[in-house]
Every structure is written in C-alpha cells, then in structure tokens.
Amino acid sequence: MSKLSENQIKEQLKHIEDWEYSDNAIHTTIEFSDFKDCFTVMTRIAFEAENLNHHPDWSNVYNKLSISLSSHEAGGLTEKDFQLAQIIDGIVS
Ligand SMILES: C[C@H](O)[C@H](O)[C@H]1CNC2=NC(N)=NC(=O)C2=N1
C-alpha cells in the first residue's frame, strides 16, 4: 500500500475524530473509567487489527490508552491507518 501525500492526509484527517498528525503518524489518547473498560476496548481493537493485518503502536497505563498509527513498511501513513482509526473511533464512541 502506498504512502499518502500531505494533501491526501489532510483530506483523510477530516474523517476521523480526536487524532493528531505528527512525525509521520496519527496519534490519540483515550481515557476510560477503569482498567477493565480500557482493556476490553483494547481486545476489540486487537481483533480488528488482526482482521486488517494492520497493527497499532500503543501503550496503556491503568485507564488510559495511547495509540499511534503508521505503516511501517511504507514509512508513513497509508489508507490502512485511516481505516483502522475509523474503526477505533467506532468502537470507542
Ligand atoms: C507481514 C505483514 O503484512 C506486515 O508485517 C504488516 C503487519 N502489520 C502492520 N502494521 C502496521 N502498523 N504497519 C505495517 O507496516 C504492518 N505490516
């Protein structure tokens, strides 16, 4: 999958909520009421990521989940990153 141009990235950013673009990746932090809720969502995201064969760089501390998406093989952002971001938005909203 090919790396998106800056203009394509700008267009794609309109379709996702609460993600910021920096360092060739998109990032978000989500807060839950507790660890159990957070890990439940992480499990759901993990199944979607496997399905897409596209995986988040993420970290979790108690009720907070920080996610960065980029396409390692393309060395930047591809449509898959935005596809997964939209799926994550759907799971958390
Ligand atoms: C072999 C397999 O297709 C690759 O390693 C996939 C798996 N998941 C991936 N996830 C992400 N975020 N970027 C990749 O380039 C990537 N590549």
Side-chain angles (χ1 to χ4, degrees):
M1 188 157 281
S2 58
K3 197 176 148 172
L4 298 176
S5 69
E6 290 298 317
N7 276 340
Q8 288 172 316
I9 290 168
K10 242 183 226 167
E11 192 49 45
Q12 288 287 344
L13 284 167
K14 294 177 187 165
H15 306 297
I16 55 176
E17 280 171 43
D18 299 324
W19 292 79
E20 63 162 54
Y21 167 50
S22 67
D23 302 322
N24 277 319
I26 49 174
H27 315 269
T28 196
T29 298
I30 310 160
E31 198 170 324
F32 299 88
S33 48
D34 56 24
F35 175 73
K36 199 178 86 180
D37 278 3
C38 186
F39 203 81
T40 299
V41 165
M42 290 176 76
T43 305
R44 292 180 64 194
I45 294 170
F47 279 100
E48 296 292 344
E50 269 297 285
N51 218 12
L52 273 181
N53 190 28
H54 199 66
H55 302 89
D57 295 346
W58 59 10
S59 65
N60 156 243
V61 179
Y62 178 51
N63 64 338
K64 289 199 184 92
L65 174 62
S66 298
I67 308 174
S68 297
L69 301 177
S70 69
S71 298
H72 315 133
E73 283 156 11
L77 287 165
T78 64
E79 276 175 23
K80 274 207 168 179
D81 296 302
F82 289 95
Q83 206 180 333
L84 183 56
Q86 283 192 37
I87 290 170
I88 292 170
D89 283 350
I91 289 173
V92 300
S93 65

